[in-house]
Coordinates of all heavy atoms in Angstrom, one line a residue:
M1 N 77.1 97.6 60.7 CA 76.7 98.8 61.4 C 75.4 98.7 62.2 O 74.4 98.1 61.7 CB 76.6 99.9 60.3 CG 76.3 101.3 60.8 SD 76.1 102.4 59.5 CE 74.4 102.8 59.6
N2 N 75.4 99.2 63.4 CA 74.3 99.1 64.2 C 73.4 100.3 64.2 O 73.8 101.4 64.6 CB 74.6 98.8 65.6 CG 73.5 98.2 66.5 OD1 72.6 97.6 65.9 ND2 73.6 98.3 67.8
K3 N 72.3 100.4 63.4 CA 71.4 101.4 63.3 C 70.5 101.6 64.5 O 70.2 100.6 65.2 CB 70.5 101.3 62.1 CG 71.2 101.4 60.7 CD 70.2 101.3 59.6 CE 70.9 101.3 58.3 NZ 69.9 101.1 57.2
V4 N 70.0 102.7 64.8 CA 69.1 102.9 66.0 C 67.8 103.6 65.4 O 67.8 104.6 64.8 CB 69.7 103.8 67.0 CG1 68.7 104.0 68.1 CG2 71.0 103.2 67.5
Y5 N 66.7 102.9 65.6 CA 65.4 103.3 65.2 C 64.7 103.9 66.5 O 64.8 103.3 67.5 CB 64.5 102.1 64.8 CG 65.1 101.5 63.5 CD1 66.1 100.5 63.6 CD2 64.7 101.9 62.3 CE1 66.7 99.9 62.5 CE2 65.2 101.3 61.1 CZ 66.2 100.3 61.2 OH 66.8 99.7 60.1
V6 N 64.1 105.0 66.4 CA 63.5 105.7 67.5 C 62.1 106.3 67.1 O 62.0 106.8 66.0 CB 64.4 106.9 68.0 CG1 63.6 107.7 69.1 CG2 65.7 106.4 68.4
G7 N 61.1 106.0 67.9 CA 59.8 106.6 67.7 C 59.4 107.4 68.9 O 59.7 107.1 70.1
D8 N 58.7 108.5 68.6 CA 58.2 109.5 69.7 C 56.9 110.2 69.2 O 56.8 110.4 68.1 CB 59.3 110.5 69.9 CG 59.1 111.3 71.2 OD1 58.2 110.9 72.0 OD2 59.7 112.3 71.3
R9 N 56.0 110.3 70.2 CA 54.9 111.1 69.9 C 55.1 112.5 70.5 O 55.4 112.7 71.7 CB 53.6 110.5 70.7 CG 53.2 109.2 70.1 CD 51.8 108.8 70.6 NE 51.3 107.7 69.9 CZ 51.4 106.4 70.3 NH1 51.9 106.1 71.4 NH2 50.9 105.4 69.5
T10 N 55.1 113.5 69.6 CA 55.5 114.8 69.9 C 54.2 115.7 69.8 O 53.2 115.3 69.3 CB 56.6 115.4 69.1 OG1 56.0 115.6 67.8 CG2 57.8 114.5 69.0
I11 N 54.4 116.9 70.3 CA 53.3 117.9 70.1 C 52.9 118.1 68.7 O 51.7 118.4 68.3 CB 53.5 119.2 70.8 CG1 52.3 120.1 71.0 CG2 54.6 120.0 70.0 CD1 52.4 121.0 72.1
D12 N 53.8 117.9 67.7 CA 53.7 118.0 66.3 C 53.2 116.7 65.6 O 53.1 116.7 64.4 CB 54.9 118.5 65.6 CG 55.3 119.9 66.2 OD1 54.4 120.7 66.4 OD2 56.6 120.2 66.4
G13 N 53.1 115.6 66.4 CA 52.7 114.4 65.7 C 53.8 113.3 66.0 O 54.6 113.4 66.9
I14 N 53.6 112.3 65.2 CA 54.5 111.1 65.4 C 55.8 111.3 64.5 O 55.8 111.8 63.4 CB 53.8 109.9 64.8 CG1 52.8 109.5 65.9 CG2 54.7 108.8 64.5 CD1 51.9 108.3 65.7
V15 N 56.9 111.0 65.2 CA 58.2 111.1 64.6 C 58.9 109.7 64.7 O 59.0 109.2 65.8 CB 59.1 112.2 65.3 CG1 60.5 112.2 64.7 CG2 58.4 113.5 65.3
V16 N 59.4 109.2 63.6 CA 60.1 107.9 63.6 C 61.4 108.2 62.8 O 61.3 108.7 61.6 CB 59.4 106.8 62.9 CG1 60.2 105.5 62.9 CG2 58.1 106.5 63.7
T17 N 62.6 108.0 63.4 CA 63.8 108.1 62.8 C 64.7 106.9 62.8 O 64.5 106.0 63.6 CB 64.6 109.3 63.5 OG1 64.9 108.9 64.9 CG2 63.9 110.6 63.4
V18 N 65.6 106.9 61.9 CA 66.7 105.8 61.9 C 68.0 106.6 61.9 O 68.2 107.5 61.0 CB 66.5 104.9 60.7 CG1 66.5 105.6 59.4 CG2 67.7 103.9 60.8
D19 N 68.8 106.4 62.8 CA 70.0 107.2 63.0 C 69.9 108.7 62.9 O 70.7 109.4 62.3 CB 71.1 106.7 62.1 CG 71.6 105.3 62.4 OD1 71.4 104.9 63.5 OD2 72.2 104.6 61.5
G20 N 68.8 109.2 63.5 CA 68.5 110.6 63.5 C 67.8 111.2 62.3 O 67.5 112.4 62.3
K21 N 67.6 110.4 61.2 CA 67.0 110.9 60.0 C 65.6 110.2 59.9 O 65.4 109.2 60.4 CB 67.8 110.6 58.8 CG 69.1 111.2 58.8 CD 69.9 110.7 57.5 CE 71.4 111.3 57.5 NZ 72.3 110.4 58.3
P22 N 64.7 111.0 59.3 CA 63.3 110.4 59.2 C 63.3 109.1 58.4 O 64.0 108.9 57.4 CB 62.6 111.4 58.4 CG 63.3 112.7 58.6 CD 64.7 112.3 58.7
L23 N 62.6 108.1 59.0 CA 62.5 106.8 58.3 C 61.5 106.9 57.2 O 60.4 107.3 57.3 CB 62.0 105.7 59.4 CG 61.7 104.3 58.8 CD1 63.0 103.7 58.5 CD2 61.0 103.5 59.8
P24 N 62.0 106.5 55.9 CA 61.0 106.6 54.8 C 59.9 105.6 55.0 O 60.1 104.5 55.5 CB 61.9 106.1 53.6 CG 63.3 106.3 54.1 CD 63.3 106.1 55.6
D25 N 58.7 106.1 54.6 CA 57.5 105.2 54.9 C 57.4 104.0 53.9 O 56.6 103.0 54.2 CB 56.2 106.0 54.9 CG 55.9 106.6 53.5 OD1 56.5 106.2 52.5 OD2 55.0 107.5 53.6
M26 N 58.1 103.9 52.8 CA 58.1 102.8 51.9 C 56.7 102.6 51.3 O 56.5 101.5 50.8 CB 58.6 101.6 52.5 CG 60.0 101.6 53.1 SD 61.2 102.0 51.8 CE 62.7 101.8 52.6
T27 N 55.8 103.6 51.2 CA 54.6 103.4 50.6 C 54.7 103.2 49.0 O 53.8 102.7 48.5 CB 53.6 104.6 51.0 OG1 54.2 105.8 50.6 CG2 53.2 104.5 52.4
D28 N 55.7 103.6 48.5 CA 56.0 103.4 47.1 C 56.2 101.9 46.8 O 55.8 101.4 45.7 CB 57.2 104.2 46.5 CG 58.5 104.0 47.3 OD1 58.4 103.6 48.6 OD2 59.6 104.1 46.8
A29 N 56.7 101.1 47.7 CA 56.8 99.7 47.6 C 55.6 98.9 48.0 O 55.2 98.0 47.3 CB 58.0 99.2 48.3
K30 N 55.0 99.4 49.1 CA 53.8 98.7 49.6 C 53.0 99.6 50.5 O 53.6 100.1 51.5 CB 54.2 97.4 50.4 CG 53.1 96.6 51.1 CD 52.4 95.7 50.1 CE 51.3 94.9 50.8 NZ 50.5 94.2 49.9
R31 N 51.8 99.8 50.2 CA 51.0 100.7 51.1 C 50.0 100.0 51.9 O 49.1 99.3 51.4 CB 50.3 101.8 50.2 CG 49.4 102.8 51.0 CD 48.7 103.7 50.2 NE 49.5 104.5 49.3 CZ 50.1 105.7 49.6 NH1 49.9 106.2 50.8 NH2 50.8 106.4 48.7
Y32 N 50.2 100.1 53.3 CA 49.3 99.5 54.2 C 48.3 100.6 54.7 O 47.2 100.3 55.1 CB 50.0 98.9 55.5 CG 50.8 97.7 55.0 CD1 52.2 97.8 54.7 CD2 50.2 96.4 55.1 CE1 52.9 96.7 54.4 CE2 51.0 95.3 54.7 CZ 52.4 95.5 54.4 OH 53.1 94.3 54.0
S33 N 48.8 101.8 54.7 CA 48.0 103.0 55.3 C 48.4 104.2 54.5 O 49.5 104.4 54.1 CB 48.4 103.1 56.8 OG 48.0 104.4 57.2
R34 N 47.4 105.1 54.5 CA 47.6 106.5 53.9 C 47.9 107.5 55.0 O 48.0 108.6 54.8 CB 46.4 106.9 53.1 CG 46.1 106.0 51.9 CD 45.0 106.6 51.0 NE 44.7 105.7 49.9 CZ 45.5 105.6 48.8 NH1 46.6 106.2 48.7 NH2 45.2 104.7 47.9
N35 N 47.8 107.0 56.3 CA 47.9 107.8 57.4 C 49.2 107.8 58.2 O 49.3 108.2 59.3 CB 46.8 107.5 58.4 CG 45.4 107.6 57.8 OD1 45.1 108.5 57.0 ND2 44.6 106.6 58.0
G36 N 50.3 107.4 57.5 CA 51.6 107.4 58.2 C 51.7 106.2 59.1 O 51.1 105.2 59.1
F37 N 52.7 106.5 60.1 CA 53.0 105.5 61.0 C 52.2 105.7 62.4 O 51.8 106.8 62.7 CB 54.5 105.6 61.5 CG 55.5 105.4 60.4 CD1 56.6 106.1 60.3 CD2 55.3 104.4 59.4 CE1 57.6 105.9 59.3 CE2 56.2 104.1 58.4 CZ 57.4 104.9 58.3
E38 N 52.1 104.5 63.1 CA 51.5 104.5 64.4 C 52.0 103.2 65.1 O 52.6 102.4 64.4 CB 49.9 104.5 64.4 CG 49.2 105.6 65.1 CD 49.7 106.2 66.3 OE1 50.4 105.4 67.1 OE2 49.3 107.2 66.6
W39 N 51.7 103.1 66.3 CA 52.0 101.9 67.1 C 51.3 101.8 68.3 O 50.4 102.6 68.6 CB 53.7 101.9 67.4 CG 54.1 103.2 68.2 CD1 54.0 103.4 69.6 CD2 54.6 104.4 67.7 NE1 54.5 104.6 69.9 CE2 54.9 105.2 68.8 CE3 54.9 104.8 66.4 CZ2 55.5 106.5 68.6 CZ3 55.5 106.0 66.2 CH2 55.8 106.9 67.4
S40 N 51.5 100.7 69.1 CA 50.8 100.4 70.3 C 49.4 99.7 70.1 O 48.6 99.5 71.1 CB 50.5 101.6 71.2 OG 51.7 102.2 71.5
Y41 N 49.1 99.3 68.8 CA 47.9 98.5 68.5 C 48.2 97.8 67.2 O 49.2 98.1 66.6 CB 46.7 99.4 68.4 CG 46.7 100.4 67.3 CD1 46.0 100.1 66.1 CD2 47.3 101.7 67.5 CE1 46.1 101.0 65.0 CE2 47.3 102.6 66.4 CZ 46.7 102.2 65.2 OH 46.7 103.1 64.2
E42 N 47.3 96.9 66.8 CA 47.4 96.1 65.5 C 46.5 96.9 64.6 O 45.4 97.2 64.8 CB 47.0 94.7 65.7 CG 47.9 93.9 66.6 CD 47.6 92.4 66.7 OE1 46.8 92.0 65.8 OE2 47.9 91.9 67.7
G43 N 47.1 97.2 63.4 CA 46.3 97.8 62.4 C 47.2 98.3 61.2 O 48.4 98.0 61.1
P44 N 46.6 99.1 60.3 CA 47.3 99.4 59.0 C 48.5 100.4 59.3 O 49.5 100.2 58.7 CB 46.3 100.1 58.2 CG 45.0 100.2 59.0 CD 45.2 99.5 60.2
E45 N 48.4 101.4 60.2 CA 49.5 102.2 60.5 C 50.7 101.5 61.1 O 51.8 101.7 60.7 CB 49.1 103.5 61.2 CG 48.0 104.3 60.5 CD 46.6 103.8 60.4 OE1 46.3 103.0 61.3 OE2 45.9 104.2 59.5
P46 N 50.4 100.7 62.1 CA 51.5 99.8 62.7 C 52.1 99.0 61.6 O 53.3 98.6 61.7 CB 50.8 99.2 63.9 CG 49.7 100.0 64.3 CD 49.3 100.6 63.0
S47 N 51.3 98.4 60.8 CA 51.8 97.5 59.6 C 52.8 98.3 58.8 O 53.8 97.8 58.4 CB 50.7 97.0 58.8 OG 49.9 96.1 59.6
Q48 N 52.4 99.6 58.5 CA 53.3 100.4 57.7 C 54.6 100.6 58.3 O 55.7 100.6 57.8 CB 52.6 101.8 57.3 CG 53.3 102.6 56.2 CD 53.1 101.8 54.9 OE1 52.0 101.6 54.5 NE2 54.2 101.5 54.1
L49 N 54.6 100.9 59.6 CA 55.8 101.1 60.4 C 56.7 99.8 60.4 O 57.9 99.9 60.1 CB 55.5 101.5 61.8 CG 56.7 101.7 62.7 CD1 57.8 102.6 62.2 CD2 56.2 102.1 64.1
A50 N 56.0 98.7 60.7 CA 56.8 97.4 60.7 C 57.4 97.2 59.4 O 58.6 96.8 59.3 CB 55.8 96.3 61.1
Y51 N 56.7 97.4 58.3 CA 57.2 97.1 57.0 C 58.3 98.1 56.7 O 59.4 97.6 56.2 CB 56.1 97.3 56.0 CG 56.6 97.2 54.5 CD1 56.8 95.8 54.0 CD2 56.7 98.2 53.7 CE1 57.2 95.7 52.7 CE2 57.0 98.1 52.4 CZ 57.3 96.8 51.9 OH 57.7 96.6 50.6
A52 N 58.2 99.4 57.0 CA 59.3 100.3 56.7 C 60.5 100.0 57.5 O 61.7 100.1 56.9 CB 58.8 101.7 57.0
M53 N 60.4 99.6 58.7 CA 61.6 99.2 59.5 C 62.3 98.0 59.0 O 63.5 97.9 58.9 CB 61.2 99.0 61.0 CG 60.7 100.2 61.8 SD 60.2 99.7 63.5 CE 61.7 99.3 64.3
L54 N 61.5 97.0 58.5 CA 62.1 95.8 58.0 C 62.7 96.0 56.7 O 63.8 95.4 56.4 CB 61.0 94.7 57.9 CG 60.5 94.1 59.3 CD1 59.2 93.2 59.1 CD2 61.6 93.4 60.0
V55 N 62.1 96.8 55.8 CA 62.7 97.1 54.5 C 64.1 97.8 54.8 O 65.1 97.5 54.2 CB 61.8 98.0 53.6 CG1 62.7 98.4 52.4 CG2 60.6 97.2 53.1
D56 N 64.1 98.8 55.6 CA 65.3 99.5 56.0 C 66.3 98.6 56.5 O 67.5 98.6 56.2 CB 65.0 100.7 56.9 CG 66.3 101.5 57.1 OD1 66.5 102.4 56.3 OD2 66.9 101.3 58.1
H57 N 65.9 97.7 57.5 CA 66.8 96.8 58.1 C 67.3 95.7 57.2 O 68.5 95.4 57.1 CB 66.1 96.2 59.3 CG 67.0 95.2 60.1 ND1 68.0 95.5 60.7 CD2 66.9 93.8 60.2 CE1 68.6 94.4 61.3 NE2 67.9 93.4 61.0
L58 N 66.4 95.0 56.4 CA 66.8 93.9 55.6 C 67.2 94.2 54.1 O 68.0 93.5 53.6 CB 65.6 92.9 55.5 CG 65.1 92.3 56.8 CD1 63.8 91.7 56.5 CD2 66.1 91.3 57.3
G59 N 66.8 95.4 53.7 CA 67.1 95.8 52.3 C 66.4 94.9 51.3 O 66.9 94.8 50.2
D60 N 65.2 94.3 51.7 CA 64.6 93.2 50.8 C 63.1 93.4 51.0 O 62.5 93.1 52.1 CB 65.1 91.9 51.3 CG 64.4 90.7 50.5 OD1 63.2 90.9 49.9 OD2 65.0 89.6 50.4
T61 N 62.4 94.0 50.1 CA 60.9 94.2 50.2 C 60.1 93.0 50.3 O 59.2 93.0 51.1 CB 60.4 95.1 49.0 OG1 60.7 94.5 47.8 CG2 61.0 96.5 49.0
A62 N 60.5 91.9 49.6 CA 59.7 90.7 49.7 C 59.9 90.1 51.0 O 58.9 89.6 51.6 CB 60.2 89.7 48.6
Q63 N 61.0 90.0 51.6 CA 61.2 89.4 52.9 C 60.5 90.3 54.0 O 59.9 89.7 54.9 CB 62.7 89.3 53.2 CG 63.1 88.4 54.3 CD 64.6 88.3 54.5 OE1 65.4 88.9 53.9 NE2 64.9 87.3 55.3
A64 N 60.6 91.6 53.8 CA 60.0 92.5 54.7 C 58.4 92.3 54.7 O 57.8 92.2 55.8 CB 60.3 93.9 54.4
E65 N 57.8 92.2 53.6 CA 56.4 91.9 53.4 C 56.0 90.6 54.1 O 55.0 90.5 54.8 CB 56.0 91.9 52.0 CG 54.5 92.0 51.8 CD 54.1 92.2 50.3 OE1 54.9 92.5 49.5 OE2 52.9 91.9 50.0
R66 N 56.8 89.6 54.0 CA 56.6 88.3 54.5 C 56.6 88.3 56.0 O 55.8 87.7 56.7 CB 57.5 87.3 54.0 CG 57.2 85.8 54.3 CD 58.1 84.8 53.6 NE 59.5 85.1 53.7 CZ 60.3 84.8 54.7 NH1 59.7 84.3 55.8 NH2 61.5 85.1 54.7
L67 N 57.5 89.0 56.6 CA 57.8 89.1 58.1 C 56.9 90.2 58.8 O 56.8 90.1 59.9 CB 59.2 89.3 58.4 CG 60.2 88.2 57.9 CD1 61.6 88.7 58.0 CD2 60.0 87.0 58.8
Q68 N 56.3 91.1 58.0 CA 55.6 92.2 58.5 C 54.6 91.8 59.6 O 54.5 92.4 60.6 CB 55.2 93.1 57.4 CG 54.4 94.4 57.9 CD 52.9 94.0 58.2 OE1 52.4 94.3 59.3 NE2 52.2 93.4 57.3
P69 N 53.7 90.9 59.2 CA 52.5 90.7 60.1 C 53.0 90.2 61.6 O 52.5 90.8 62.5 CB 51.7 89.6 59.4 CG 52.0 89.7 58.0 CD 53.5 90.1 58.0
Q70 N 53.9 89.3 61.6 CA 54.4 88.8 62.9 C 55.2 89.9 63.6 O 55.1 90.1 64.8 CB 55.3 87.6 62.8 CG 54.7 86.5 62.1 CD 55.5 86.0 60.9 OE1 55.6 86.7 59.9 NE2 56.2 84.9 61.0
F71 N 56.0 90.7 62.9 CA 56.8 91.7 63.5 C 55.9 92.9 64.0 O 56.1 93.4 65.2 CB 57.8 92.4 62.4 CG 58.8 93.3 63.0 CD1 59.8 92.8 63.8 CD2 58.6 94.7 62.9 CE1 60.8 93.7 64.2 CE2 59.6 95.6 63.3 CZ 60.7 95.1 64.1
M72 N 54.8 93.2 63.3 CA 53.9 94.2 63.7 C 53.2 93.7 65.0 O 53.1 94.4 66.0 CB 52.9 94.5 62.7 CG 51.9 95.6 63.0 SD 50.3 95.0 63.7 CE 49.6 94.1 62.4
R73 N 52.7 92.4 65.0 CA 52.0 91.9 66.2 C 52.9 91.8 67.4 O 52.5 92.1 68.5 CB 51.3 90.6 65.9 CG 50.0 90.8 65.1 CD 49.2 89.5 65.1 NE 49.9 88.4 64.4 CZ 49.8 88.3 63.0 NH1 49.1 89.1 62.3 NH2 50.5 87.2 62.4
S74 N 54.0 91.3 67.2 CA 54.9 90.9 68.4 C 55.7 92.1 68.9 O 56.2 92.2 70.0 CB 55.8 89.7 68.0 OG 56.7 90.0 67.0
V75 N 56.0 93.1 68.0 CA 56.9 94.2 68.4 C 56.2 95.6 68.3 O 55.9 96.2 69.3 CB 58.2 94.3 67.5 CG1 59.0 95.5 67.8 CG2 58.9 93.0 67.6
V76 N 55.8 96.0 67.2 CA 55.2 97.3 67.0 C 53.9 97.6 67.8 O 53.8 98.7 68.3 CB 55.0 97.6 65.4 CG1 54.4 99.0 65.2 CG2 56.4 97.6 64.7
A77 N 53.1 96.6 67.8 CA 51.8 96.7 68.6 C 52.1 96.9 70.1 O 51.3 97.3 70.8 CB 50.9 95.5 68.3
N78 N 53.3 96.5 70.5 CA 53.7 96.6 71.9 C 54.5 97.7 72.3 O 54.9 97.9 73.5 CB 54.3 95.3 72.4 CG 53.4 94.1 72.3 OD1 52.3 94.1 72.8 ND2 53.7 93.1 71.4
F79 N 54.8 98.6 71.3 CA 55.7 99.8 71.6 C 55.0 100.7 72.6 O 53.7 100.8 72.5 CB 56.0 100.6 70.4 CG 57.1 100.1 69.6 CD1 57.2 100.3 68.2 CD2 58.1 99.3 70.1 CE1 58.2 99.9 67.3 CE2 59.1 98.8 69.2 CZ 59.2 99.1 67.9
Q80 N 55.7 101.3 73.5 CA 55.2 102.4 74.3 C 55.1 103.7 73.5 O 55.5 103.7 72.3 CB 56.1 102.6 75.6 CG 56.2 101.3 76.3 CD 54.9 100.8 76.9 OE1 54.1 101.5 77.5 NE2 54.6 99.5 76.6
N81 N 54.7 104.8 74.2 CA 54.7 106.1 73.5 C 56.0 106.5 72.9 O 56.1 107.0 71.7 CB 54.3 107.2 74.4 CG 52.8 107.3 74.6 OD1 52.0 106.9 73.7 ND2 52.3 108.0 75.6
E82 N 57.1 106.2 73.7 CA 58.5 106.5 73.1 C 59.1 105.1 73.1 O 59.0 104.3 74.0 CB 59.2 107.4 74.0 CG 58.7 108.8 74.1 CD 59.5 109.7 75.1 OE1 60.6 109.3 75.5 OE2 58.9 110.7 75.5
W83 N 59.9 104.9 72.0 CA 60.6 103.6 71.9 C 61.9 103.7 71.1 O 62.1 104.7 70.4 CB 59.7 102.5 71.2 CG 59.1 102.9 69.9 CD1 57.9 103.6 69.7 CD2 59.8 102.8 68.6 NE1 57.8 103.8 68.3 CE2 58.9 103.3 67.7 CE3 61.0 102.2 68.2 CZ2 59.1 103.4 66.3 CZ3 61.2 102.2 66.8 CH2 60.4 102.8 65.9
E84 N 62.7 102.8 71.4 CA 64.1 102.8 70.6 C 64.4 101.3 70.4 O 64.2 100.4 71.2 CB 65.2 103.4 71.4 CG 66.5 103.4 70.8 CD 67.5 104.2 71.7 OE1 67.2 105.3 72.1 OE2 68.6 103.7 71.9
M85 N 64.9 101.0 69.2 CA 65.2 99.7 68.8 C 66.5 99.7 67.9 O 66.6 100.5 67.0 CB 64.1 99.0 68.1 CG 64.1 97.6 68.0 SD 62.5 96.9 67.4 CE 62.8 95.3 67.9
T86 N 67.4 98.8 68.2 CA 68.6 98.8 67.3 C 68.5 97.6 66.3 O 67.7 96.8 66.5 CB 69.9 98.6 68.2 OG1 69.8 97.2 68.8 CG2 70.1 99.5 69.3
T87 N 69.4 97.6 65.3 CA 69.5 96.5 64.4 C 69.7 95.2 65.1 O 69.1 94.2 64.7 CB 70.5 96.7 63.4 OG1 71.8 97.0 63.9 CG2 70.2 97.8 62.4
A88 N 70.5 95.2 66.2 CA 70.7 93.9 66.9 C 69.3 93.5 67.6 O 69.1 92.3 67.6 CB 71.7 94.2 68.0
D89 N 68.5 94.4 68.1 CA 67.3 94.1 68.7 C 66.3 93.4 67.6 O 65.7 92.4 67.8 CB 66.6 95.3 69.2 CG 67.3 96.0 70.4 OD1 67.9 95.3 71.2 OD2 67.1 97.2 70.5
I90 N 66.3 94.1 66.4 CA 65.6 93.5 65.3 C 66.0 92.1 64.9 O 65.2 91.2 64.7 CB 65.5 94.5 64.2 CG1 64.8 95.8 64.5 CG2 64.8 93.8 62.9 CD1 65.0 96.9 63.4
D91 N 67.3 92.0 64.8 CA 67.8 90.6 64.5 C 67.4 89.6 65.5 O 67.0 88.5 65.1 CB 69.4 90.6 64.5 CG 69.9 91.3 63.1 OD1 69.2 91.2 62.1 OD2 71.0 91.8 63.1
R92 N 67.4 89.9 66.8 CA 67.0 88.9 67.8 C 65.5 88.6 67.6 O 65.1 87.4 67.7 CB 67.2 89.5 69.2 CG 68.6 89.3 69.8 CD 68.7 89.6 71.2 NE 68.5 91.0 71.5 CZ 69.5 92.0 71.4 NH1 70.7 91.6 71.0 NH2 69.3 93.2 71.7
V93 N 64.6 89.6 67.3 CA 63.2 89.3 67.1 C 63.1 88.4 65.9 O 62.3 87.4 66.0 CB 62.4 90.7 67.0 CG1 61.0 90.3 66.4 CG2 62.4 91.4 68.2
L94 N 63.8 88.8 64.8 CA 63.6 88.0 63.5 C 64.0 86.5 63.7 O 63.5 85.6 63.2 CB 64.4 88.6 62.4 CG 63.8 90.0 62.0 CD1 64.6 90.6 60.9 CD2 62.3 90.0 61.7
Q95 N 65.0 86.3 64.5 CA 65.5 84.9 64.8 C 64.4 84.2 65.5 O 64.1 82.9 65.1 CB 66.7 84.9 65.7 CG 68.0 85.2 64.9 CD 69.2 85.3 65.8 OE1 69.1 85.5 67.0 NE2 70.4 85.1 65.2
R96 N 63.7 84.8 66.4 CA 62.5 84.1 67.0 C 61.3 83.9 66.0 O 60.6 82.9 66.1 CB 62.0 84.9 68.2 CG 62.7 84.9 69.4 CD 62.0 85.4 70.7 NE 60.9 86.4 70.3 CZ 61.1 87.7 70.6 NH1 62.2 88.2 71.0 NH2 60.1 88.5 70.3
L97 N 61.1 84.8 65.1 CA 60.0 84.7 64.2 C 60.2 83.7 63.1 O 59.2 83.2 62.5 CB 59.6 86.1 63.6 CG 59.2 87.2 64.5 CD1 59.0 88.5 63.8 CD2 58.0 86.8 65.3
R98 N 61.5 83.5 62.7 CA 61.7 82.7 61.5 C 61.5 81.2 61.7 O 61.7 80.6 62.7 CB 63.1 83.0 61.0 CG 63.2 84.2 60.2 CD 64.5 84.5 59.6 NE 64.6 85.7 58.8 CZ 65.5 86.6 58.8 NH1 66.5 86.6 59.6 NH2 65.4 87.6 58.0

């Protein structure tokens, strides 16, 4: 199944969804930030987003934690204000990173 991840900066703040539903922040598994998700730079909030996307995509917290730093730097830090990424896009990135 090809999921679609979408991020947007709205008047009410940051919204990140997976297939139209809010993406869980996964802070119960690993907390990089207390301030939720962010992107377009390197830091704790983009790390939390990278981790949450990878956990959702891979279903494996250990693998997500291992891949998070490179995924955050190469993908999340480069997102524009609005972005969209599919599971196929994530798979392509992970093949490069591994």
Side-chain angles (χ1 to χ4, degrees):
M1 184 181 113
N2 202 21
K3 293 181 181 178
V4 179
Y5 298 85
V6 176
D8 192 11
R9 288 193 171 100
T10 71
I11 195 155
D12 297 320
I14 284 181
V15 177
V16 179
T17 59
V18 55
D19 290 342
K21 297 182 185 79
L23 177 67
D25 64 14
M26 298 301 185
T27 52
D28 53 333
K30 177 81 176 167
R31 183 183 297 274
Y32 294 91
S33 167
R34 298 190 182 282
N35 302 319
F37 298 142
E38 237 324 334
W39 56 85
S40 305
Y41 66 94
E42 294 183 23
E45 294 76 21
S47 293
Q48 194 72 54
L49 175 56
Y51 178 73
M53 288 177 71
L54 289 170
V55 170
D56 186 80
H57 177 69
L58 298 166
D60 180 335
T61 55
Q63 199 176 8
E65 190 173 343
R66 189 170 52 76
L67 293 166
Q68 178 279 126
Q70 302 123 290
F71 188 77
M72 184 268 293
R73 280 194 297 276
S74 63
V75 176
V76 177
N78 296 303
F79 281 156
Q80 302 301 309
N81 274 339
E82 296 175 18
W83 54 269
E84 181 174 311
M85 198 170 197
T86 65
T87 51
D89 297 330
I90 294 173
D91 283 334
R92 275 192 291 281
V93 170
L94 294 180
Q95 281 176 337
R96 281 199 332 263
L97 296 180
R98 284 185 172 133

